[in-house]
């Protein structure tokens, strides 16, 4: 890749770390990393890494932060590399879409016009915190979510600013984060335009996505990832447990392989989306529960179903990995087959250390969902060790 191919913000912005490396070299590095981390567990098969279908404009969600110095024009973009309290004022972002640049410029101009102060992490003062943009890569739909501190926003001028960008905007949501934590979400205060959600397609399925619903950030890469997961499930039916299920995308994508799907997700808005998705797909053999995975793991209500013949599980936890109660469930009540979907090789290895005496790794498939970053997705297929069934 030549210098002229690089994003003008590369090297300063923390969004892309390896954009200056050939994509083939990035893939080789990631595959080698996962191979080394999992080598002690002796996987029966380690399959070649699957590349992302797109290497630019692949992300369907970006969280752009407001910032800047006092009495200076507001900045809107991503955190500066290595400096959490500094903002790179972006004119474009090659992670999401070409329309993002004009959209950011319009919102920045609106903030200047309305004299709205940006939030500062050290003083905990200011108003504008984040602009979250979600896109349906296979539908073209776009959501804009403005996150502020407590106060009122000039709603009409904000909508006018979005229209002036000439970027397609299907729905606009205003959320308030009144706390001190630096998170790009808060209490939903108002839907300013549209239905408050967008839709995107995975294969033949169209999913509803609300502001806080987890949905794999690389839509076309997720299709590839889910094909891997589905291909590893037998066609003999049984119950599929989908833990940390978000909007139910994995369980619903695999529903035609099993007799029943039970999804577990902490975020009630995501669970509402999962139920709506199941209804719109006409998939009746599903149920989704708004509860923490740790609560599920301790629930006698679900234990008999977990132990039922043919039961299998897909676990797609956040970066820290499995909760202790979930690991305990897997150890105390071993399941015949489960699939670990991990975005963090280090936490994956940590979990596997405690589970290695109970499960063997049948195969590993690395899938790149995050080009130009060090992150990678790993799918591990685990089976209960044969000697356990004879105890």
């Amino acid at each position: 890749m030549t210098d002229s191919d690089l994003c003008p913000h590369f090297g300063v912005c923390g969004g892309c770390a390896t954009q200056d490396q050939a994509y083939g070299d990035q893939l080789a590095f990631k595959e080698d990393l996962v191979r080394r981390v999992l080598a002690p567990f002796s996987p029966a098969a380690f399959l070649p890494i699957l590349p992302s279908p797109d290497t630019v404009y692949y992300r369907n969600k970006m969280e752009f932060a407001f910032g800047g110095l006092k009495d200076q024009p507001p900045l809107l973009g991503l955190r500066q590399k290595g400096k959490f309290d500094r903002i790179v004022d972006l004119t474009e972002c090659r992670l999401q879409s070409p329309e993002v640049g004009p959209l950011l410029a319009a919102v920045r101009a609106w903030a200047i016009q309305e004299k709205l102060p940006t939030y500062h992490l050290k003083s905990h003062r200011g108003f504008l915190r984040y602009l979250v943009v979600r896109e349906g890569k296979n539908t073209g739909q776009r959501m804009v979510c403005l996150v502020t501190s407590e106060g009122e926003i000039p709603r009409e001028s904000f909508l006018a600013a979005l229209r002036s960008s000439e970027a397609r905007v299907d729905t606009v949501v205003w959320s308030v984060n009144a706390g001190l934590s630096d998170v790009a979400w808060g209490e939903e205060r108002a839907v300013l335009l549209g239905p408050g959600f967008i839709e995107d397609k995975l294969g033949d399925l169209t999913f509803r996505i609300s502001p806080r619903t987890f949905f794999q950030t690389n839509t076309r890469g997720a299709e590839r990832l889910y094909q891997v997961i589905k291909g590893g499930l037998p066609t003999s039916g049984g119950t599929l447990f989908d833990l940390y299920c978000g909007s139910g995308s994995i369980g619903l994508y695999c529903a035609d392989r099993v007799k029943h799907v039970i999804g577990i997700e902490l975020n009630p808005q995501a669970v509402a989306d999962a139920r709506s998705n199941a209804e719109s797909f006409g998939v009746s053999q599903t149920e989704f529960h708004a509860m923490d995975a740790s609560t599920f793991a301790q629930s006698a209500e679900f234990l008999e179903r977990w132990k039922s013949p043919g039961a299998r599980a897909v676990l797609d936890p956040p970066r820290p990995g499995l909760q202790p109660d979930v690991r305990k469930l897997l150890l105390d009540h071993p399941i015949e087959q489960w699939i670990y979907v991990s975005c963090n090789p280090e936490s994956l290895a940590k979990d596997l250390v405690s589970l290695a005496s109970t499960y063997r790794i049948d195969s590993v498939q690395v899938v790149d969902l995050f080009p130009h970053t060090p992150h990678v997705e790993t799918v591990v297929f685990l089976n209960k060790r044969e000697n356990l069934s004879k105890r």
Side-chain angles (χ1 to χ4, degrees):
M1 179 177 288
T2 65
D3 290 344
S4 60
D5 296 323
L6 296 175
C7 170
H9 304 291
F10 176 73
V12 180
C13 173
C16 296
T18 57
Q19 196 183 113
D20 59 337
Q21 298 176 19
Y23 187 52
D25 293 340
Q26 296 180 37
L27 293 174
F29 172 82
K30 294 179 183 185
E31 181 176 325
D32 181 66
L33 169 65
V34 178
R35 282 183 180 273
R36 284 187 284 107
V37 168
L38 296 187
F41 305 101
S42 303
F46 198 111
L47 304 173
I49 188 171
L50 294 176
S52 171
D54 304 304
T55 58
V56 294
Y57 303 136
Y58 63 87
R59 285 188 64 98
N60 57 42
K61 179 185 178 184
M62 291 292 293
E63 299 172 347
F64 298 106
F66 288 95
L69 300 175
K70 185 179 180 182
D71 299 324
Q72 295 294 315
L75 307 178
L76 178 56
L78 296 177
R79 304 287 179 195
Q80 187 172 325
K81 188 175 181 179
K83 297 183 178 179
F84 76 97
D85 60 339
R86 302 284 182 88
I87 302 297
V88 179
D89 206 32
L90 297 184
T91 58
E92 63 177 283
C93 180
R94 297 185 188 177
L95 286 177
Q96 192 164 35
S97 66
E99 292 77 22
V100 160
L103 197 60
L104 295 179
V107 174
R108 193 182 296 114
W110 166 77
I112 295 172
Q113 172 190 319
E114 298 291 346
K115 298 181 173 57
L116 298 172
T118 58
Y119 187 83
H120 294 273
L121 297 178
K122 293 183 177 179
S123 68
H124 300 296
R125 295 179 180 177
F127 183 61
L128 299 176
R129 300 189 71 154
Y130 279 94
L131 188 79
V132 182
V133 181
R134 304 196 73 158
E135 297 180 343
K137 292 297 183 181
N138 290 323
T139 63
Q141 296 178 21
R142 182 176 289 112
M143 171 195 297
V144 173
C145 182
L146 180 69
V147 183
T148 71
S149 299
E150 282 288 2
E152 286 294 326
I153 64 169
R155 304 184 185 196
E156 292 305 317
S157 64
F158 180 60
L159 294 176
L162 296 178
R163 287 193 293 269
S164 73
S165 73
E166 298 186 357
R168 173 177 174 175
V169 177
D170 297 87
T171 194
V172 180
V173 179
W174 171 36
S175 297
V176 172
N177 175 7
L180 300 181
S181 58
D182 180 34
V183 292
W185 52 267
E187 174 196 347
E188 188 174 303
R189 192 57 54 90
V191 176
L192 306 181
L193 177 72
F197 61 86
I198 60 171
E199 294 178 326
D200 204 1
K201 294 175 70 69
L202 285 173
D204 296 329
L205 304 179
T206 301
F207 289 85
R208 187 173 100 167
I209 305 166
S210 297
R212 288 185 57 192
T213 295
F214 172 77
F215 194 76
Q216 287 285 357
T217 55
N218 183 334
T219 306
R220 298 189 184 102
E223 291 180 285
R224 187 163 288 180
L225 175 72
Y226 291 178
Q227 288 166 5
V228 169
I229 297 169
K230 185 174 182 176
L233 290 170
T235 57
S236 54
T239 297
L240 176 65
F241 290 88
D242 184 5
L243 273 64
Y244 312 94
C245 71
S247 59
S249 54
I250 293 178
L252 290 168
Y253 193 89
C254 299
D256 59 350
R257 284 287 184 113
V258 297
K259 291 181 179 178
H260 201 78
V261 173
I262 298 177
I264 305 297
E265 168 60 43
L266 180 61
N267 181 354
Q269 188 177 64
V271 170
D273 284 347
R275 291 169 178 165
S276 174
N277 289 331
E279 183 178 358
S280 67
F281 302 158
V283 180
S284 59
Q285 73 277 24
T286 61
E287 54 184 276
F288 295 95
H289 300 272
M291 67 170 64
D292 183 67
S294 182
T295 303
F296 163 82
Q298 301 176 65
S299 172
E301 174 188 355
F302 292 102
L303 183 56
E304 289 306 310
R305 300 168 78 179
W306 176 268
K307 294 163 62 177
S308 63
R312 287 168 171 79
V314 176
L315 283 70
D316 186 7
R319 287 191 63 78
L322 302 176
Q323 292 151 290
D325 287 321
V326 175
R327 289 200 300 271
K328 187 174 186 302
L329 173 66
L330 288 163
L331 290 171
D332 291 350
H333 304 285
I335 197 166
E336 286 295 331
Q337 181 198 42
W338 63 287
I339 303 170
Y340 193 145
V341 184
S342 172
C343 60
N344 185 344
E346 285 72 25
S347 61
L348 169 63
K350 177 195 68 176
D351 287 332
L352 292 179
V353 166
S354 62
L355 297 166
S357 62
T358 304
Y359 300 95
R360 60 177 173 79
I361 297 179
D362 182 54
S363 64
V364 177
Q365 177 68 75
V366 185
V367 185
D368 186 28
L369 266 61
F370 315 101
H372 312 311
T373 79
H375 305 299
V376 70
E377 207 81 14
T378 306
V379 185
V380 181
F381 295 90
L382 298 109
N383 291 279
K384 186 172 69 173
R385 291 191 180 276
E386 290 81 354
N387 61 332
L388 293 176
S389 59
K390 301 175 183 177
R391 292 179 182 177

